[in-house]
């Protein structure tokens, strides 16, 4: 389920020994799992701080406690520790933490939402913008509403055609086009670079 390298286990053992608290272990959980904001949280945990439904992974000299609701998102995770001249770096790879893209059998709405939340909105967020799905027409036109820095931005037509529409047409079979229904005239503070 989770692979913990020997270097990572050694690192954790040293930290736990330094704390000298009986029963101290390490708890791993997923924060905002299944979303583009997903991340992992790794912290020390004393036995009385556990919820009681954690999964226990016994390591030599300590226990790694896995938060039960996080299990599907942390399945296949790898924890490693790389020693460097300046110290070291803990590396956690959790390929399922943002969720798993819906398969071909999923509805068109589910597949479009996945691409919007995991590919399009993270790109738009760099300019303090985002897009929300309003509807999908019977003929596969995705109807969107732009917000944040995209609301009222003079570049929104280029973003729509060369970014959003291109991505959705490539990634989601069944999408035939994209339409923006945002009232851009009411936008007050679009992102502008200096």
């Amino acid at each position: 389920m989770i692979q913990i390298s020997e270097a990572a286990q050694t690192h954790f053992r040293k930290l736990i020994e330094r704390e000298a608290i009986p029963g101290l272990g390490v708890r791993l959980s997923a924060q905002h799992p299944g979303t583009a904001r997903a991340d992992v949280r790794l912290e020390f945990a004393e036995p009385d701080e556990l919820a009681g439904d954690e999964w226990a992974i016994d390591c030599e000299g300590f226990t790694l406690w896995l938060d039960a609701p996080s299990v599907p998102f942390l399945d296949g995770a790898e924890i490693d520790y790389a020693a460097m001249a300046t110290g070291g770096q803990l590396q956690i790879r959790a390929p399922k933490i943002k969720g798993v893209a819906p398969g071909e059998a999923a509805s068109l709405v589910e597949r479009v939402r996945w691409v919007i939340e995991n590919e399009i909105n993270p790109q738009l967020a760099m300019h303090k913008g985002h897009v929300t799905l309003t509807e999908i027409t019977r003929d596969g036109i995705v109807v969107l509403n732009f917000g944040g820095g995209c609301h009222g931005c003079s570049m929104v037509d280029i973003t729509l055609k060369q970014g959003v529409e291109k991505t959705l047409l490539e990634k989601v079979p069944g999408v035939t086009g994209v339409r923006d229904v945002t009232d851009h005239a009411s936008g007050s503070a679009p992102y502008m670079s200096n």
Side-chain angles (χ1 to χ4, degrees), residues 22-23 32 53 58 71 75 80 82 91 93 111 124 133 135 137 152 154-155 158 169 171 193:
H32 310 289
D53 62 349
D58 291 323
V71 168
D75 184 30
D80 193 14
Q91 299 170 344
R93 291 178 196 86
R111 293 181 285 132
L124 295 177
L133 177 64
E135 70 173 302
T137 66
S154 62
M155 300 295 288
I158 293 169
L169 288 170
K171 305 269 182 168
S193 61

Side-chain angles (χ1 to χ4, degrees), residues 41-55:
R41 181 175 183 173
L42 188 65
E43 61 192 344
F44 288 123
E46 294 182 47
D48 63 344
E49 297 174 324
L50 299 172
D53 62 349
E54 291 89 356
W55 290 31

Side-chain angles (χ1 to χ4, degrees), residues 31-39 98 117-118:
Q31 304 295 302
H32 310 289
T35 71
R37 300 182 324 144
D39 201 358
K98 292 184 179 181
E117 290 307 316
N118 290 282

Side-chain angles (χ1 to χ4, degrees), residues 120-165:
I120 294 170
N121 275 340
Q123 291 295 317
L124 295 177
M126 290 190 292
H127 299 282
K128 299 181 181 161
H130 64 274
V131 67
T132 55
L133 177 64
T134 301
E135 70 173 302
I136 301 176
T137 66
R138 287 184 183 173
D139 54 348
I141 302 292
V142 175
V143 181
L144 301 171
N145 219 332
F146 283 87
C150 294
H151 185 194
C153 179
S154 62
M155 300 295 288
V156 77
D157 289 338
I158 293 169
T159 299
L160 179 71
K161 291 295 178 188
Q162 294 180 9
V164 176
E165 184 174 59

Side-chain angles (χ1 to χ4, degrees), residues 16-17 19-27 43-50 56-58 61-65:
I16 289 169
E17 286 170 8
E19 293 297 316
I21 298 172
L24 186 67
V26 178
R27 179 172 37 210
E43 61 192 344
F44 288 123
E46 294 182 47
D48 63 344
E49 297 174 324
L50 299 172
I57 300 173
D58 291 323
F62 69 97
T63 301
L64 176 77
W65 300 101

